[in-house]
Amino acid sequence: VVWIVGKVAVGVTLNDGKVSGSLTVDAKKFPEGVPVTDGKITATLSEQGTLGFSGSVAARFGKAGTGKVEASYSPTGELNLGVVADITVPGLQPVHVVLAYKEGLIEGEVGVPINSEIVPGLTGNVTVRYKDKLWSGETNLAYSADNGKLSGNILVTVAQKEDGSLALGGSGSVTAQIAPRLSGTLTATILEEGGVLPGFAAHGHH
């Protein structure tokens, strides 16, 4: 069986002049750009001329998470492949992203809310992107802590470590209001294990 992304030839049979048939594609036949592990998808052509898909194929993302391949057929006869992925990034809410198959590769991105219980002082969505077989992302978020005495912006990053797992990181310049007319600047860094660490403080000014 040859798996042709774009158009699929379905083995057909004639029954009283009506065309029907099916084609089963296992994981080994998928394009290299789709990170599949096992399973199979069967495309079935009914006598009414509609094409349906059944079965499932698992996708692998190592320690980053899991996913499953989904297939659909457009009215124009194009085969659409996608991967629904569930990814874990410590410090973010659970990541659920739909990746599309395009020009030989799976890619996509989604905005995921930060988990402010793990990373206090930050709110908003962080971009998580899958491209060139790697997860990444960076988003500038406002930071406020200690009842507003600490405020500024932190560039929040998502990076894939050597073991394939994902980590939240980033840093930014934060103003510390020490007294009504005394402030200083410090560097706030997101810790991989959670939390934000204020770094060195510059001298305040009157």
Side-chain angles (χ1 to χ4, degrees), residues 102-128:
K102 186 178 180 182
E103 296 178 1
L105 291 172
I106 288 284
E107 58 183 50
E109 66 178 54
V110 66
V112 184
I114 202 158
N115 188 335
S116 53
E117 291 182 3
I118 297 176
V119 192
L122 286 169
T123 55
N125 288 349
V126 176
T127 297
V128 178

Side-chain angles (χ1 to χ4, degrees), residues 82-116:
V83 176
V84 179
D86 290 292
I87 304 302
T88 300
V89 183
L92 295 184
Q93 302 289 350
V95 182
H96 184 76
V97 59
V98 178
L99 308 174
Y101 181 83
K102 186 178 180 182
E103 296 178 1
L105 291 172
I106 288 284
E107 58 183 50
E109 66 178 54
V110 66
V112 184
I114 202 158
N115 188 335
S116 53

Side-chain angles (χ1 to χ4, degrees), residues 72-162:
S72 63
Y73 225 70
S74 72
T76 56
E78 295 298 310
L79 176 71
N80 297 316
L81 275 182
V83 176
V84 179
D86 290 292
I87 304 302
T88 300
V89 183
L92 295 184
Q93 302 289 350
V95 182
H96 184 76
V97 59
V98 178
L99 308 174
Y101 181 83
K102 186 178 180 182
E103 296 178 1
L105 291 172
I106 288 284
E107 58 183 50
E109 66 178 54
V110 66
V112 184
I114 202 158
N115 188 335
S116 53
E117 291 182 3
I118 297 176
V119 192
L122 286 169
T123 55
N125 288 349
V126 176
T127 297
V128 178
R129 180 182 301 109
Y130 186 74
K131 189 173 183 179
D132 298 329
K133 300 183 181 180
L134 286 174
W135 296 96
S136 65
E138 59 179 40
T139 309
N140 206 29
L141 293 183
Y143 175 74
S144 179
D146 197 13
N147 295 320
K149 292 179 181 177
L150 293 172
S151 62
N153 287 287
I154 293 180
L155 184 64
V156 182
T157 61
V158 175
Q160 191 154 13
K161 300 192 294 183
E162 285 188 13

Side-chain angles (χ1 to χ4, degrees), residues 49-87:
T50 57
L51 192 62
F53 290 90
S54 62
S56 64
V57 173
R60 54 176 168 75
F61 295 103
K63 291 189 175 182
T66 60
K68 63 178 182 176
V69 177
E70 295 189 343
S72 63
Y73 225 70
S74 72
T76 56
E78 295 298 310
L79 176 71
N80 297 316
L81 275 182
V83 176
V84 179
D86 290 292
I87 304 302

Side-chain angles (χ1 to χ4, degrees), residues 21-44:
S22 66
L23 170 70
T24 298
V25 181
D26 64 31
K28 296 174 185 176
K29 298 288 195 304
F30 275 76
E32 289 184 7
V34 184
V36 298
T37 51
D38 50 44
K40 60 187 177 182
I41 288 180
T42 298
T44 305

